[in-house]
Amino acid sequence: MYKAGDLRKGLKLELDGEPYVIVDFEFSKPGKGQALYRCRLKNMLTGIQFDRTYRSGDTFKPADVEERKMTYLYTDGQFYTFMDQKTYEQYQVSAEQLGDSRYFLTDNLEVDVVLWQDKAIGVTLPNFVVLTVTRADPAARGDTATNVTKPVLVETGYELQAPAFVEEGDRIQIDTRTGQYVTRVKE
Amino acid sequence: MPDPREPVLRARARIVAAVRAFFVDRGYVEVETPHRIPAPLPEAHIDPVRADGGVLHPSPELCMKRLLARGWDRIFQICRCWRAGERGRLHLPEFTLLEWYRTGVDYTALMTECEELLLHAARAAGRGPEVHRQGIRVDLRPPWPRISVDEAFERWAGTDPDRALADGSFDELVVTRIEPALARLGKPAFLYDYPLGQAALARRRPDRPDRAERFELYAGGLELANAFTELTDPVEQRARFEAEQEARRRRGARTDPMPERFLQDLSRLPPCAGIALGVDRLVMLLTEAESIDEVVTFTPEELG
């Protein structure tokens, strides 16, 4: 069991039989008053977030979740299939559960799949992925300054802003935490 | 490689030197009292750090008031204090308090001194009379608003403090409604006259026996200081301590023996007022730091 003093950002708890992750946390202690542990909790199954305040003396059941190294195989559009690298067992995660993460999956990408009661409920991506640009309009004439950007589309259907010099067929590195362009990759 | 905290730590050193000079100029004597004491003053929600059969003091209040009982009339101290389990963006389990005590005055005299002290410290930090915190301007020029706890609950919490205490929502309403509303006033503010049960060491208001003469100073969303017109009646003080010990037992916290020497000395304590101000948070305010971690040499986590 966790105590209120164990609460911190990133901790995973079970509440009402469902797994939650603390996405924001603040410790407060007004004047001569009691300690308050203010949490923003995200339901790991539904993605719904809400705020709740706990006090010292409250205890929490750890969420029975684990992360396992898996390889991304394919999608049918609705479900994304991953394979456990040790057991070769296959797991499926829905597009809704993946959210924007689905835009950063490429064939054979190694990810950490989050399992709850042996069901896959999400993935933790590597911080950086490399994707191929499938559409990039030519830069407008005279746009030679390095800080000028334009929209480009990558192989997974994700659109982002990239520098004007990026062309169709280029490979670019993207930060999966922000969804933003990092650099062009020379291969 | 230069220490990334160097500018803040240099400002901190200037602020602390200016605070010392402020009190020395006003006739206060700097004192040093023992940091390890046999037992703390009983308080419901302050858990001391245990140390070799005693505790590390959670504040120097106990010894400083015993000095007043021995005849001192203006004293101050800047010292390390310890409180178990307190860690967050505004809390360290080991932190620095400034306490000062003065005989012959009540808590309103300390409000005026707070106004003068902050302006003085701001100048030492190389600042004008304005600072910014979390996008809000804080104008340090006095006078600062003085708002009673009753008025604050009525204006911002939609209830009264006694009802909030009865249903257990008092502390949460202070944190979620009243502190943010005070921050929006654009000046530091005093929240004063707490329900008696929230001020174990403060004198009862003569005209309002269910309220005690305690104030908290807030600035830029930071709770900076806590002050009392000190309770000097040993019989009433013992009863208040018993209530605090009972509250500790209810929450399953360890209780310590009654501080008998303190209670004996209390009968010789003249009318006086005292205040504790968080030095780390004062530095946060004047350097516009977001986290207390930015204003200390080492956080507990950095000690390994």
Side-chain angles (χ1 to χ4, degrees), chain B residues 172-188:
Chain B
E172 200 167 342
L173 289 172
V174 168
V175 169
T176 59
R177 305 278 186 84
I178 293 171
E179 289 185 4
L182 291 173
R184 286 192 297 271
L185 294 177
K187 283 201 163 208

Side-chain angles (χ1 to χ4, degrees), chain B residues 10-22:
Chain B
R10 283 185 182 277
R12 181 182 177 120
R14 286 196 299 272
I15 291 165
V16 171
V19 167
R20 280 209 161 83
F22 177 89

Side-chain angles (χ1 to χ4, degrees), chain B residues 96-115:
Chain B
T96 303
L97 269 186
L98 157 70
E99 291 208 0
W100 74 95
Y101 290 83
R102 200 174 147 185
T103 59
V105 296
D106 68 11
Y107 64 161
T108 57
L110 299 179
M111 293 183 188
T112 307
E113 275 180 325
C114 282
E115 292 172 340

Side-chain angles (χ1 to χ4, degrees), chain A residues 106-127:
Chain A
T106 53
D107 288 352
N108 298 316
L109 184 72
E110 187 181 274
V111 299
D112 290 312
V113 172
V114 182
L115 296 173
W116 177 64
Q117 297 180 344
D118 210 42
K119 283 198 298 281
I121 60 170
V123 299
T124 305
L125 295 169
N127 290 343

Side-chain angles (χ1 to χ4, degrees), chain A:
Chain A
M1 295 293 271
Y2 294 126
K3 297 193 295 277
D6 298 325
L7 297 176
R8 63 185 183 280
K9 198 169 164 175
L11 195 74
K12 298 181 179 85
L13 321 167
E14 189 181 308
L15 299 171
D16 308 321
E18 296 196 334
Y20 285 82
V21 60
I22 299 175
V23 292
D24 226 334
F25 175 75
E26 178 105 35
F27 173 82
S28 325
K29 199 159 186 293
K32 299 284 182 183
Q34 60 190 321
L36 300 173
Y37 303 83
R38 299 155 70 197
C39 300
R40 174 154 298 162
L41 293 154
K42 185 173 120 180
N43 186 309
M44 296 175 75
L45 303 179
T46 64
I48 291 169
Q49 298 192 11
F50 59 87
D51 294 329
R52 200 175 274 184
T53 299
Y54 296 102
R55 287 138 209 268
S56 46
D58 287 338
T59 56
F60 310 88
K61 199 170 157 189
D64 179 25
V65 294
E66 60 165 325
E67 292 198 339
R68 245 189 263 165
K69 283 254 176 288
M70 298 203 196
T71 306
Y72 171 62
L73 297 180
Y74 63 89
T75 178
D76 61 8
Q78 179 56 32
F79 288 97
Y80 291 72
T81 302
F82 300 85
M83 186 175 70
D84 188 317
Q85 293 177 348
K86 288 210 186 85
T87 65
Y88 305 112
E89 260 181 287
Q90 292 190 7
Y91 290 85
Q92 290 192 317
V93 184
S94 71
E96 295 83 61
Q97 283 173 327
L98 284 174
D100 281 350
S101 295
R102 68 184 188 274
Y103 293 122
F104 305 121
L105 294 171
T106 53
D107 288 352
N108 298 316
L109 184 72
E110 187 181 274
V111 299
D112 290 312
V113 172
V114 182
L115 296 173
W116 177 64
Q117 297 180 344
D118 210 42
K119 283 198 298 281
I121 60 170
V123 299
T124 305
L125 295 169
N127 290 343
F128 301 100
V129 293
V130 175
L131 294 169
T132 304
V133 177
T134 53
R135 198 183 71 217
D137 298 331
R141 273 169 80 96
D143 274 353
T144 49
T146 50
N147 58 354
V148 173
T149 64
K150 63 179 181 185
V152 301
L153 194 72
V154 293
E155 56 189 302
T156 55
Y158 179 69
E159 192 181 275
L160 72 159
Q161 290 293 317
F165 58 73
V166 171
E167 296 171 352
E168 209 169 290
D170 279 351
R171 305 267 288 156
I172 59 171
Q173 190 182 55
I174 299 171
D175 187 323
T176 61
R177 295 161 295 185
T178 60
Q180 287 176 350
Y181 171 92
V182 181
T183 184
R184 184 164 59 171
V185 180
K186 295 231 161 64
E187 289 176 13

